[in-house]
Amino acid sequence: MTAAFLAGVVAGYGVAVPVGAIAVLVAGLSARTSLRVGAAAGLGAATADGVYALVAVLGGAALTGVIAPIATPLRWAAAAVLLVLAAHTAWSALSRPAAVRDTDRTTPAAAYLGILGLTLLNPATVVYFAALVLGRGGEGGGTWFVLGAFLASASWQLLIASSGSLVGRFLTGPRARVVTALVSSAVIAVLAVGLVV
């Protein structure tokens, strides 16, 4: 039980810690809106990691074979969604008046569902968890492994959301918010292109 939980924790941090487009989105949402919205977004990413850990524990090798043929279209879909988000963030920052930007209408539920859906578009996560489960002789530890992976991912995502919120407090002026939104958009666009290049 303890070994499976710790293996899940290590696996969860292994998949969550590398900073990619999702981390940038979570930090950017926190900086532009609120910690509540950013935390909800981060928990959406952690939920996807937990779902994929569960799928890996339940399906293992069979799932890797099913996902392999559709991995490329899923990467292209994820890249397209990220590019749309990057464009929307930049357009919103440049076109809406400061008063509207300061009271961004993104809700925690919308942030959670949006990031959950976007994170689920990454088939590499289930392959990663499946490889770890299979590497342990097919004994991933079931529920304890999944719980460890989810909690590790959630703690990291909440740290990213908190960091984004802290940065947002220092960048409260209208010009600073436009700059951070444009930087966030550029980073997300670069990461989106990196998914398919």
Side-chain angles (χ1 to χ4, degrees):
M1 172 173 94
T2 303
F5 179 77
L6 290 177
V9 168
V10 171
Y13 281 127
V15 78
V17 168
V19 174
I22 298 299
V24 172
L25 283 170
V26 170
L29 276 170
S30 290
R32 287 189 315 276
T33 59
S34 69
L35 178 57
R36 241 178 57 190
V37 170
L43 290 175
T47 300
D49 290 345
V51 165
Y52 274 149
L54 178 63
V55 166
V57 165
L58 296 177
L63 248 118
T64 302
V66 170
I67 288 176
I70 61 169
T72 299
L74 286 174
R75 269 197 313 277
W76 279 97
V81 169
L82 289 171
L83 287 172
V84 168
L85 285 171
H88 175 70
T89 299
W91 179 81
S92 295
L94 294 171
S95 67
R96 284 194 275 174
V100 174
R101 274 196 309 276
D102 290 342
T103 58
D104 196 307
R105 291 174 232 140
T106 303
T107 65
Y112 175 85
L113 293 173
I115 297 298
L116 171 65
L118 190 55
T119 307
L120 286 173
L121 284 174
N122 185 4
T125 305
V126 76
V127 172
Y128 165 81
F129 282 125
L132 290 174
V133 169
L134 293 172
R136 293 172 46 89
E139 300 191 16
T143 304
W144 292 107
F145 179 86
V146 173
L147 182 62
F150 169 75
L151 291 175
S153 180
S155 68
W156 183 255
Q157 298 299 338
L158 291 174
L159 177 66
I160 289 173
S162 298
S163 300
S165 181
L166 183 64
V167 168
R169 288 183 191 201
F170 292 111
L171 302 173
T172 55
R175 181 170 292 178
R177 288 195 180 252
V178 169
V179 169
T180 57
L182 293 176
V183 168
S184 174
S185 295
V187 170
I188 291 167
V190 167
L191 292 170
V193 171
L195 285 176
V196 293
V197 174

